[in-house]
């Protein structure tokens, strides 16, 4: 396939500082930088997220409707969890420096740091990594639709999701007050270490 990039143009960009392109920042230890075609105009079918996490912080459940994702661990350690849409199983893949986990396009997934100073690189086969976030699905689907569809008490549903902030990206929130850690069953591949809490299982 022929390239659509005009490499002779004076405006063609061949380098970029990803540190200057923040997508989301929770605090100084938990943030995501982005590189896509909007940052570097000679990119074609590639983009990335540069992800920094401290222990037990989670890149919230989400999926990428336009790209597969390869998660590479630069430093620290994390568990990459994906839901296989064919078997309905949650597969958990612990990764450490030099290891990768592959997330097929459109698969529901999330990443949790298991140590401080975790640095992940998420690489996509699209010029912009589009995303549908779990927090947005929960907040923007009308409560009456959720209650009716799943036979829920609408007021209880609204109370339950009230603390959720749209576009959370990295959870849990700073003011999270969880009194107990939910039961964490072992997954098909790998397992979850014991943390004070696990907000997304």
């Amino acid at each position: 396939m022929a390239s659509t990039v005009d490499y002779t143009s004076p405006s063609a960009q061949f380098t970029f500082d990803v540190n200057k392109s923040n997508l989301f920042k929770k605090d100084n230890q938990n943030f995501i930088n982005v590189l896509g075609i909007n940052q570097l105009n000679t990119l074609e079918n590639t983009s990335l997220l540069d992800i920094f996490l401290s222990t037990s912080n989670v890149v919230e459940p989400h999926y990428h409707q336009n790209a597969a994702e390869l998660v590479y661990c630069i430093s620290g350690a994390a568990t990459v969890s994906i839901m296989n849409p064919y078997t309905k199983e949650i597969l958990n893949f612990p990764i450490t420096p030099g290891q990768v986990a592959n997330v097929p396009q459109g698969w529901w997934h999330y990443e949790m740091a298991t140590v401080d100073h975790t640095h992940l690189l998420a690489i996509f086969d699209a010029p912009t990594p589009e995303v549908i976030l779990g927090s947005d699905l929960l907040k923007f689907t009308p409560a009456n639709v959720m209650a009716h569809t799943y036979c829920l008490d609408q007021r209880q549903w609204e109370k339950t999701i009230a603390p959720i902030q749209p576009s959370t990206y990295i959870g849990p929130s700073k003011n999270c007050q969880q009194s107990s850690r939910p039961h964490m069953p072992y997954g098909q591949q790998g397992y979850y270490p014991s943390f004070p809490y696990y907000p997304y299982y």
Side-chain angles (χ1 to χ4, degrees), residues 53-56 75-77 113-119:
L53 299 169
S54 59
T55 304
S56 75
S75 63
T114 53
V115 299
D116 284 338
H117 309 293
T118 291
H119 185 187

Side-chain angles (χ1 to χ4, degrees), residues 20 133 150 192:
K20 296 179 179 177
L133 299 169
Y150 302 111
Y192 292 109

Side-chain angles (χ1 to χ4, degrees), residues 15-156:
T15 185
F16 186 80
D17 185 350
V18 181
N19 296 304
K20 296 179 179 177
S21 182
N22 185 252
L23 173 69
F24 178 84
K25 184 172 184 178
K26 176 180 173 180
D27 55 38
N28 288 334
Q29 287 77 45
N30 298 279
F31 59 94
I32 303 171
N33 294 328
V34 62
L35 176 71
I37 197 167
N38 292 332
Q39 290 77 34
L40 187 60
N41 63 18
T42 55
L43 288 177
E44 293 191 73
N45 290 320
T46 189
S47 53
L48 63 84
L49 295 177
D50 202 21
I51 303 167
F52 298 83
L53 299 169
S54 59
T55 304
S56 75
N57 278 265
V58 183
V59 176
E60 70 164 307
H62 63 283
Y63 67 90
H64 303 285
Q65 66 271 40
N66 71 326
E69 175 181 355
L70 185 65
V71 184
Y72 176 81
C73 183
I74 296 172
S75 63
T79 298
V80 179
S81 300
I82 62 177
M83 187 184 80
N84 185 320
Y86 302 103
T87 65
K88 306 300 187 265
E89 292 176 288
I90 297 291
L91 306 175
N92 307 304
F93 301 101
I95 58 173
T96 55
Q99 297 179 329
V100 301
N102 187 45
V103 181
Q105 181 175 341
W107 285 30
W108 189 246
H109 65 287
Y110 43 98
E111 297 91 9
M112 181 182 214
T114 53
V115 299
D116 284 338
H117 309 293
T118 291
H119 185 187
L120 305 174
L121 190 64
I123 305 162
F124 303 90
D125 60 350
T128 300
E130 297 174 359
V131 65
I132 302 292
L133 299 169
S135 57
D136 291 345
L137 290 175
L138 291 171
K139 291 298 282 193
F140 298 133
T141 303
N144 64 323
V145 172
M146 296 295 279
H148 175 74
T149 304
Y150 302 111
C151 195
L152 304 171
D153 181 298
Q154 182 174 334
R155 286 170 297 182
Q156 287 184 346

